[in-house]
Amino acid sequence: MSIHIEKPSLLLHAGRAKKNIHRMAEKARRQGIRFRPHFKTHQSAVIGDWFREAGVYSITVSSVDMAQYFARHGWNDITIAFPVNLRQIAEINELARTIHLGILVESIETVNFLCTQMTASAEVWIEIDEGSHRSGVAWEQPEAVLMLIQALQSSSLLRVRGILAHAGRIYRAGSPDEIRRIYSETVDRMNSVRQFLAGQGLSVEVSIGDTPGCTLSTDLGLVDEIRPGNFVFYDAMQLNLGVCELQDIAAVVACPVVARYPERNEVVVYGGAVHLSKDTVNMNGQNWYSLVVTVSEDQEADALPDWLTLVNGGYAARLTQEHGVVTLPGPDFKRLKVGDLLYLIPAHVCLTVSALGEYITTDGHPIRTMNNQ
Amino acid sequence: MSIHIEKPSLLLHAGRAKKNIHRMAEKARRQGIRFRPHFKTHQSAVIGDWFREAGVYSITVSSVDMAQYFARHGWNDITIAFPVNLRQIAEINELARTIHLGILVESIETVNFLCTQMTASAEVWIEIDEGSHRSGVAWEQPEAVLMLIQALQSSSLLRVRGILAHAGRIYRAGSPDEIRRIYSETVDRMNSVRQFLAGQGLSVEVSIGDTPGCTLSTDLGLVDEIRPGNFVFYDAMQLNLGVCELQDIAAVVACPVVARYPERNEVVVYGGAVHLSKDTVNMNGQNWYSLVVTVSEDQEADALPDWLTLVNGGYAARLTQEHGVVTLPGPDFKRLKVGDLLYLIPAHVCLTVSALGEYITTDGHPIRTMNNQ
């Protein structure tokens, strides 16, 4: 089917996304590990249903609003993998009353607050900083984790479920081998905390799991739960890390070409920072905002081709609010006319989804996200 | 008035924004130059009305959608300062039928398309590349501009109004003096094109104008129109360039603190890439996502303080989707508790406005943008 695209649009290949979902769900199932995918990547009830079809009933989100959205769409086992925002305690209590809610804590201040302010039952995960230094209790300080767990025991509504981490530092890895090494090291660090707690008579679950580690590690290790999110679509960053192949990419942004400059092999597209986000992928020592795929001769079809071809040397070099300046090698440049579409693999698809708020499937159906209800 | 803030929120000081608007409007008026402010910064009908109160009736926008939004809100003299997107010709014709529309062209392909496809009258600006190499006809090639104008003369609906440029390179300036020099150079380059055309018997207007140049240049020079946008709020990038003072900043983002780390003087706030955008300001050789203001003792007031104090050494060092990792010097760090609000001046306010889609004025009124109707 041919779709008429007027503006920067996120094209979604449903078949590929479903294949990505089933592959990860199956991997977790075979290893007896709970699969609690992170829905911050797709932010859509329709795509959530594709996970249900793959036997997924537990999910992760990154905000209270996202939990509310998915709860409204029938999800009743949700972990908010973000340190509790005390200012949203009313909404958190409302969620705790209606669904099976997991929340994340990492300080005694937050624990003390929750012990007095929670009015419904919730499960608590202690966030561990496994070495990325964003948030969480340092993994080297298991006694601090113990202290939080002991403080939580004063509450009859809060039940400690386990320890949880996100190994963000894995995105700085230089190779697939290094990704596997960091994943395995994270499993070990989490289990060292678990063993310390076991020595104190406490049994806890371990939840980890980013897309690079969960995709590339054959053995997911001694964990109870994985929470990858990006793998549903993958993106230029994952491709650059060697995490996925081109045929795994399930979402690209189609941008109308509005100007072309033969003297510098650059085209300007309608597609800028407010569409793609300003996140970058570092390749060959340069920061690029996206990679170009399939500048094919059947541009007028306006559909995501079944097979994407990466245009070597094609990338968005500069972005302003609505403009994207895209560098293209000679032959691909020559084929492209003003008014054609250029297809871009976003550097970081989660942010692009959040910005665009809507997908168009390759058979022409719109799918909205929570940002565009 | 006290406002209860739960989530990352864009606080707007209406008094400062109005002062910024009146100052720029008055400067243009005194010099006999048309003021056609760029509305891509605020994207709001309510704030648009503040410009009307300052005698502004002509505006600039960066997309067809934005033109439609402001046309619905009573604006009838709008220039879309973005190269015509051929795929939106139906919407462009509809706008041309209903308002006084200005459009931007820079290639013969687009001109030929418009000459056959326009069904209502519009004014045309030829976009000039004044040296920034984003889009436009190179200013050194006035004969190419002439060719476009001649081609446009075949249309009875399209009237050439003038030549237009955006000196984006001004943002790479190292000092206020360099900004004034680039502004003045841009005026000269545009007038060299104008003079060439005058030699061919063609009279055209000149439209330029970015916030740094229009704010810092006392004499706006031989131009017919200026189109700055950012000045309505200013931001960390403008502050860093020496374009504005702290007391000119009219919009800051209030972010709840969710975690604090004394060992690294960092707090984690609810406020990440999807709120602030990943645009940066380069200070001291480092890229920062925002600057911290007023970590004051009356945090519980939840209102934008009338006087912002910049916290030296306070900045958002890292952003992920929902997390902001903010570095703070010792004394300010010590005053801040989990649950408090931290106020951030965004690196690039236009992108932050686009992401958040709503303001809260310091007297507690919500103002929505076109992204959140």
Side-chain angles (χ1 to χ4, degrees):
Chain A
M1 180 182 157
S2 174
I3 313 160
H4 184 61
I5 290 170
E6 294 184 354
K7 300 185 281 188
S9 302
L10 190 56
L11 296 185
L12 173 59
H13 194 302
R16 289 183 184 192
K18 289 179 183 178
K19 198 167 156 186
N20 291 339
I21 293 167
H22 279 270
R23 193 168 40 202
M24 193 66 85
E26 185 52 30
K27 185 174 194 172
R29 192 174 296 121
R30 270 201 314 270
Q31 303 191 29
I33 292 170
R34 189 187 320 118
F35 181 37
R36 187 186 286 281
H38 209 315
F39 276 20
K40 79 181 171 74
T41 303
H42 64 78
Q43 301 189 27
S44 156
V46 170
I47 297 173
D49 288 341
W50 301 351
F51 282 83
R52 248 194 218 110
E53 289 161 16
V56 171
Y57 299 98
S58 309
I59 65 170
T60 309
V61 299
S62 55
S63 69
V64 172
D65 295 43
M66 214 181 287
Q68 291 171 324
Y69 169 81
F70 284 108
R72 280 199 303 278
H73 286 91
W75 293 90
N76 54 28
D77 181 1
I78 304 178
T79 300
I80 305 174
F82 187 88
V84 167
N85 172 16
L86 309 190
R87 290 173 174 255
Q88 289 184 290
I89 187 65
E91 291 87 340
I92 291 168
N93 272 318
E94 178 58 27
L95 278 166
R97 256 191 298 280
T98 50
I99 63 161
H100 186 86
L101 182 70
I103 56 177
L104 203 58
V105 304
E106 51 89 73
S107 72
I108 190 67
E109 292 84 353
T110 298
V111 166
N112 289 340
F113 179 90
L114 291 175
C115 285
T116 61
Q117 301 295 315
M118 284 298 289
T119 56
S121 63
E123 291 195 329
V124 179
W125 294 87
I126 313 291
E127 187 182 16
I128 305 297
D129 177 357
E130 43 55 69
S132 296
H133 307 318
R134 186 174 66 178
S135 50
V137 181
W139 71 274
E140 304 95 325
Q141 296 170 6
E143 60 288 349
V145 179
L146 176 64
M147 190 195 70
L148 294 182
I149 294 177
Q150 286 168 340
L152 282 161
Q153 285 166 346
S154 75
S155 166
S156 57
L157 294 171
L158 297 168
R159 185 175 84 80
V160 176
R161 180 82 180 259
I163 54 176
L164 176 152
H166 172 66
R169 68 198 169 107
I170 216 161
Y171 284 93
R172 298 193 291 273
S175 68
D177 276 347
E178 196 182 347
I179 287 171
R180 291 185 197 98
R181 187 190 63 71
I182 296 173
Y183 179 86
S184 161
E185 184 178 74
T186 304
V187 173
D188 291 347
R189 288 178 177 181
M190 294 300 277
N191 277 296
S192 80
V193 178
R194 167 148 60 183
Q195 280 154 28
F196 173 88
L197 297 172
Q200 307 291 320
L202 292 167
S203 169
V204 298
E205 290 190 10
V206 168
S207 171
I208 63 163
D210 46 86
T211 285
C214 291
T215 302
L216 292 178
S217 302
T218 312
D219 180 0
L220 295 171
L222 198 62
V223 300
D224 299 278
E225 177 178 286
I226 56 167
R227 308 183 323 279
N230 184 288
F231 73 91
V232 59
F233 306 140
Y234 293 108
D235 57 24
M237 219 179 278
Q238 304 289 350
L239 198 63
N240 189 42
L241 285 166
V243 172
C244 66
E245 303 288 333
L246 199 56
Q247 61 266 34
D248 301 320
I249 301 279
V252 300
V253 181
C255 297
V257 173
V258 297
R260 56 199 297 284
Y261 302 96
E263 65 281 12
R264 46 184 160 108
N265 272 18
E266 284 181 344
V267 297
V268 171
V269 297
Y270 178 18
V274 297
H275 309 103
L276 289 159
S277 100
K278 288 206 76 165
D279 222 340
T280 53
V281 53
N282 190 280
M283 291 176 76
N284 308 325
Q286 288 185 301
N287 286 323
W288 295 341
Y289 297 98
S290 61
L291 300 179
V292 179
V293 277
T294 53
V295 186
S296 67
E297 275 140 82
D298 59 343
Q299 287 280 332
E300 59 283 4
D302 272 21
L304 180 66
D306 250 352
W307 189 261
L308 302 171
T309 309
L310 197 62
V311 174
N312 281 319
Y315 53 87
R318 305 190 294 286
L319 290 187
T320 50
Q321 189 161 343
E322 315 262 0
H323 299 72
V325 181
V326 179
T327 298
L328 277 176
D332 294 285
F333 178 86
K334 284 200 186 74
R335 276 209 294 274
L336 210 60
K337 301 184 303 295
V338 168
D340 283 349
L341 290 178
L342 192 71
Y343 299 102
L344 298 172
I345 303 178
H348 185 178
V349 72
C350 309
L351 300 188
T352 305
V353 167
S354 184
L356 288 172
E358 187 178 45
Y359 309 85
I360 304 174
T361 64
T362 45
D363 53 359
H365 296 293
I367 295 180
R368 292 185 161 202
T369 73
M370 57 175 276
N371 287 339
N372 187 12
Q373 294 173 66
Chain B
M1 179 183 157
S2 173
I3 313 161
H4 183 62
I5 289 169
E6 295 184 353
K7 299 185 282 187
S9 302
L10 190 56
L11 296 185
L12 173 58
H13 194 302
R16 289 184 183 192
K18 289 178 183 178
K19 198 167 159 188
N20 292 338
I21 292 167
H22 280 269
R23 191 167 43 201
M24 192 65 83
E26 186 52 30
K27 185 174 196 173
R29 191 175 296 119
R30 271 201 314 272
Q31 302 191 30
I33 293 171
R34 188 186 321 118
F35 182 36
R36 187 187 287 281
H38 209 314
F39 276 19
K40 79 181 172 76
T41 302
H42 64 79
Q43 301 189 26
S44 156
V46 170
I47 297 173
D49 287 343
W50 301 349
F51 282 83
R52 247 194 218 108
E53 289 161 16
V56 172
Y57 299 98
S58 309
I59 64 170
T60 308
V61 298
S62 55
S63 68
V64 171
D65 295 43
M66 213 182 287
Q68 291 171 326
Y69 169 81
F70 284 108
R72 278 199 303 277
H73 287 91
W75 293 90
N76 53 28
D77 181 2
I78 304 178
T79 299
I80 305 174
F82 187 88
V84 168
N85 173 16
L86 308 191
R87 291 174 173 256
Q88 289 184 290
I89 187 65
E91 291 88 341
I92 292 168
N93 271 318
E94 178 59 27
L95 279 164
R97 255 191 298 279
T98 50
I99 64 162
H100 186 86
L101 182 70
I103 55 176
L104 203 58
V105 303
E106 52 89 74
S107 72
I108 189 67
E109 292 83 352
T110 298
V111 167
N112 289 340
F113 178 91
L114 292 174
C115 285
T116 62
Q117 302 295 316
M118 284 298 288
T119 56
S121 63
E123 291 194 330
V124 179
W125 294 86
I126 313 290
E127 186 182 16
I128 305 296
D129 176 357
E130 41 58 68
S132 296
H133 307 319
R134 185 174 66 177
S135 49
V137 181
W139 71 275
E140 304 96 325
Q141 297 171 3
E143 60 288 348
V145 179
L146 176 64
M147 190 195 68
L148 293 183
I149 294 177
Q150 286 169 337
L152 282 160
Q153 286 166 345
S154 75
S155 166
S156 57
L157 294 171
L158 298 168
R159 185 175 86 81
V160 175
R161 179 82 180 260
I163 54 176
L164 177 153
H166 172 66
R169 67 198 170 108
I170 216 161
Y171 284 94
R172 298 193 292 272
S175 70
D177 276 348
E178 197 182 346
I179 287 170
R180 291 185 197 96
R181 188 191 62 71
I182 295 174
Y183 179 87
S184 160
E185 185 178 73
T186 303
V187 173
D188 291 346
R189 289 177 176 181
M190 294 300 278
N191 278 297
S192 80
V193 178
R194 167 147 61 183
Q195 280 154 27
F196 173 88
L197 297 172
Q200 307 291 320
L202 293 166
S203 167
V204 297
E205 289 191 9
V206 168
S207 171
I208 63 163
D210 45 86
T211 283
C214 291
T215 302
L216 292 178
S217 302
T218 312
D219 180 359
L220 295 171
L222 197 62
V223 300
D224 300 278
E225 176 178 288
I226 56 166
R227 309 183 322 280
N230 184 289
F231 72 92
V232 59
F233 306 139
Y234 292 109
D235 56 24
M237 219 180 278
Q238 304 288 348
L239 198 62
N240 189 43
L241 284 167
V243 171
C244 66
E245 303 288 334
L246 199 57
Q247 60 266 34
D248 301 320
I249 300 279
V252 300
V253 181
C255 297
V257 173
V258 296
R260 55 198 299 284
Y261 302 95
E263 66 280 11
R264 47 184 160 108
N265 272 19
E266 284 181 344
V267 298
V268 171
V269 297
Y270 178 19
V274 297
H275 310 103
L276 290 158
S277 99
K278 288 207 74 165
D279 222 341
T280 54
V281 54
N282 189 280
M283 292 177 76
N284 308 324
Q286 288 185 300
N287 286 322
W288 295 341
Y289 297 98
S290 62
L291 300 178
V292 179
V293 278
T294 50
V295 186
S296 69
E297 275 141 82
D298 58 345
Q299 286 282 335
E300 59 284 3
D302 272 21
L304 182 66
D306 250 353
W307 189 261
L308 301 171
T309 309
L310 197 61
V311 174
N312 281 320
Y315 53 88
R318 304 190 294 286
L319 289 187
T320 50
Q321 189 160 343
E322 315 264 359
H323 299 72
V325 181
V326 179
T327 298
L328 278 175
D332 294 286
F333 178 87
K334 284 200 186 69
R335 275 210 295 274
L336 209 60
K337 301 185 303 298
V338 168
D340 283 350
L341 290 178
L342 191 72
Y343 299 102
L344 299 171
I345 304 179
H348 184 180
V349 74
C350 308
L351 300 189
T352 305
V353 167
S354 184
L356 288 172
E358 188 178 44
Y359 310 84
I360 304 173
T361 64
T362 45
D363 53 0
H365 296 295
I367 296 180
R368 294 187 159 203
T369 73
M370 59 175 274
N371 287 339
N372 187 12
Q373 294 173 67

